[in-house]
Amino acid sequence: MTILVTGGAGFIGSNFVLDWLAGVDTRDERVVNLDALTYAGNLANLASLAGDSRHVFVKGDIGDRALLDQLLATHRPRAVLHFAAESHVDRSIHGPGEFMRTNVQGTFNLLEAVRAHWMSLPGDERSSFRFHHVSTDEVYGSLAPDAPAFTEAHPYEPNSPYSASKAASDHLVRAWHHTYGLPVTTSNCSNNYGPYHFPEKLIPLMIVNALADKSLPIYGDGMQVRDWLYVSDHCSAIRAVLARGRPGQVYNVGGWNEKPNREIVHTICALLDELRPHTQGTYARLITHVTDRPGHDRRYAIDARKIERELGWRPAETFESGIRKTVRWYLDHADWVANVQSGGYRDWVQQQYGASTA
Ligand code: NAD
Ligand code: DAU
């Protein structure tokens, strides 16, 4: 059997592919990995799969309908897991167009291709087929300090171009189930962190900047709260939804780890002080407060009781264990960091693929 993953060269997608092909229950099932290799896609994340016939990488865009039709007809996946997206809020503020193109138009295009494929399947394959949409808690907007965490029934109140584009994609997925009966599931997850996280996001940026003696820029007062989940726990949640989730249902995924940004940055500095002490003293000396992000959401928090109750999923990592693993991973993978920072991984993509699709 085969699954089709979109965006499997990005942070969460590559962790998912690696976990899938290492999993006792899943490792015999091939992964077709469709990724456009934007700045966020990095094949070095998947270097350990070189020569592994269970992983079929295809460089291509979810906006390319002919390519989607060809992949679905050739590989006949039993499920499509949709990770591909523009994912960085700050980039969406500076240039929202690409977010509309991939997250909204691309998801629409993918849904239409998958719907045609699904309709063509014989009865038993058709009834077991799944489309899983990977989404975010940001679609629910911002919480007051004492408000209860987001449940699946929380109204959609997206505040950034990124979250608005993800909200639009969630609505499309919902409608394709309601109108056409496409067997979809959606997960709305909180902030992930862990290996292969691109150093534009808070946690990896703070680690790589600290190691390079650069400033650690905290937006505004740094008291914005996020609910952090170690990436392999997100991957196990998606596997649980794929295996046991009910079509048409939404599952919120989170780690019960609400923390203000300042605390995150101080924790990273303390871990680096312990693991890679600096001759000039604590890394916290590099912290600076900079202009806040426009429209910055103050607090996110996920109520993950539905997925716990219905699917028996629980995170394996605490924040303390996950952040320690993460800091160690960046210390042990200086070559990966250097390659990302130099843009070397992009040169390789150009050399391997040029401007063409595979
Ligand atoms: P990422 O930016 O690291 O990776 C996105 C991947 O999608 C990249 O490999 C990129 O090349 C690919 N891609 C982009 N546009 C494409 C297109 N048009 N066609 C094909 N591939 C394309 O993102 P991530 O952090 O791994 O997030 C993955 C998914 O999870 C996204 O849908 C995001 O909204 C969602 N999510 C992320 C988080 C988080 O904390 N990072 C939390 C909840 C949900
Ligand atoms: O909540 C899930 C979302 O988490 C995902 O849907 C997004 O794809 C993912 O990027 C993430 O969004 P955030 O905006 O929360 O993540 P980011 O790492 O960009 O920022 C985390 C917090 O840290 C946020 O409050 C902004 C702040 N921040 C970020 C950066 C990059 C800083 O203070 N300084 C920084 O330099």
Side-chain angles (χ1 to χ4, degrees):
M1 292 206 289
T2 301
I3 59 166
L4 172 64
V5 165
T6 71
F11 162 48
I12 303 172
S14 61
N15 274 282
F16 182 85
V17 171
L18 293 170
D19 282 5
W20 182 270
L21 292 175
V24 176
D25 300 331
T26 50
R27 65 183 167 211
D28 293 330
E29 192 167 1
R30 213 159 53 122
V31 178
V32 177
N33 182 354
L34 172 67
D35 195 298
L37 296 179
T38 68
Y39 80 93
N42 185 350
L43 284 178
N45 302 0
L46 301 162
S48 62
L49 298 177
D52 189 329
S53 60
R54 298 171 306 157
H55 179 238
V56 179
F57 183 78
V58 180
K59 180 179 182 290
D61 198 304
I62 57 168
D64 183 344
R65 177 65 191 266
L67 176 63
L68 292 176
D69 289 345
Q70 181 227 310
L71 288 177
L72 291 163
T74 305
H75 298 287
R76 293 176 72 84
R78 67 158 179 112
V80 173
L81 294 114
H82 179 33
F83 294 83
E86 288 294 331
S87 69
H88 191 35
V89 173
D90 293 321
R91 285 182 191 257
S92 83
I93 294 168
H94 294 291
E98 209 46 33
F99 288 71
M100 304 306 134
R101 199 187 69 75
T102 285
N103 300 2
V104 186
Q105 188 69 30
T107 300
F108 160 71
N109 200 50
L110 180 64
L111 281 167
E112 278 295 82
V114 169
R115 181 166 74 92
H117 168 69
W118 170 71
M119 301 260 296
S120 74
L121 294 174
D124 50 340
E125 278 184 57
R126 193 170 166 189
S127 53
S128 61
F129 183 85
R130 291 289 181 275
F131 177 90
H132 181 71
H133 178 55
V134 181
S135 194
T136 170
D137 60 359
E138 299 203 9
V139 297
Y140 299 125
S142 188
L143 285 169
D146 51 355
F150 300 128
T151 67
E152 292 78 2
H154 197 280
Y156 270 43
E157 293 173 341
N159 290 319
S160 72
Y162 163 69
S163 55
S165 70
K166 290 296 289 186
S169 69
D170 291 10
H171 292 325
L172 292 174
V173 171
R174 177 191 155 88
W176 260 240
H177 174 71
H178 191 81
T179 301
Y180 304 114
L182 189 69
V184 307
T185 47
T186 295
S187 51
N188 291 88
C189 188
S190 62
N191 284 62
N192 286 213
Y193 66 101
Y196 305 115
H197 205 179
F198 196 80
E200 63 183 353
K201 310 277 169 61
L202 179 74
I203 287 181
L205 182 76
M206 295 300 146
I207 299 171
V208 304
N209 273 15
L211 292 173
D213 256 338
K214 292 185 179 163
S215 69
L216 308 180
I218 294 181
Y219 297 161
D221 64 2
M223 292 309 289
Q224 303 84 3
V225 171
R226 298 291 182 265
D227 181 352
W228 294 94
L229 182 71
Y230 192 66
V231 63
S232 61
D233 282 325
H234 188 187
C235 296
S236 72
I238 294 170
R239 288 198 304 274
V241 174
L242 183 63
R244 301 185 292 284
R246 289 180 290 140
Q249 291 292 307
V250 171
Y251 298 91
N252 280 0
V253 182
W256 305 102
N257 278 312
E258 280 188 66
K259 308 244 177 246
N261 295 336
R262 281 167 72 141
E263 186 181 327
I264 297 290
V265 179
H266 279 282
T267 300
I268 291 168
C269 291
L271 280 166
L272 287 172
D273 288 342
E274 176 196 328
L275 299 170
R276 181 70 59 86
H278 196 288
T279 48
Q280 283 174 23
T282 175
Y283 288 93
R285 75 187 189 289
L286 298 169
I287 292 174
T288 55
H289 285 262
V290 300
T291 310
D292 208 351
R293 171 186 281 174
H296 199 169
D297 284 338
R298 201 69 188 160
R299 175 179 166 233
Y300 305 139
I302 280 282
D303 181 335
R305 282 178 296 181
K306 178 178 173 183
I307 189 170
E308 292 178 3
R309 190 178 59 245
E310 289 192 13
L311 307 184
W313 173 85
R314 274 194 179 64
E317 300 288 343
T318 63
F319 185 73
E320 289 64 33
S321 64
I323 193 70
R324 181 172 283 273
K325 278 189 183 179
T326 303
V327 171
R328 274 195 193 283
W329 188 89
Y330 280 87
L331 288 172
D332 292 345
H333 292 81
D335 49 348
W336 183 91
V337 173
N339 202 28
V340 167
Q341 288 182 318
S342 71
Y345 74 110
R346 302 285 298 153
D347 299 343
W348 189 83
V349 168
Q350 186 60 27
Q351 190 184 314
Q352 174 81 354
Y353 296 101
S356 69
T357 53

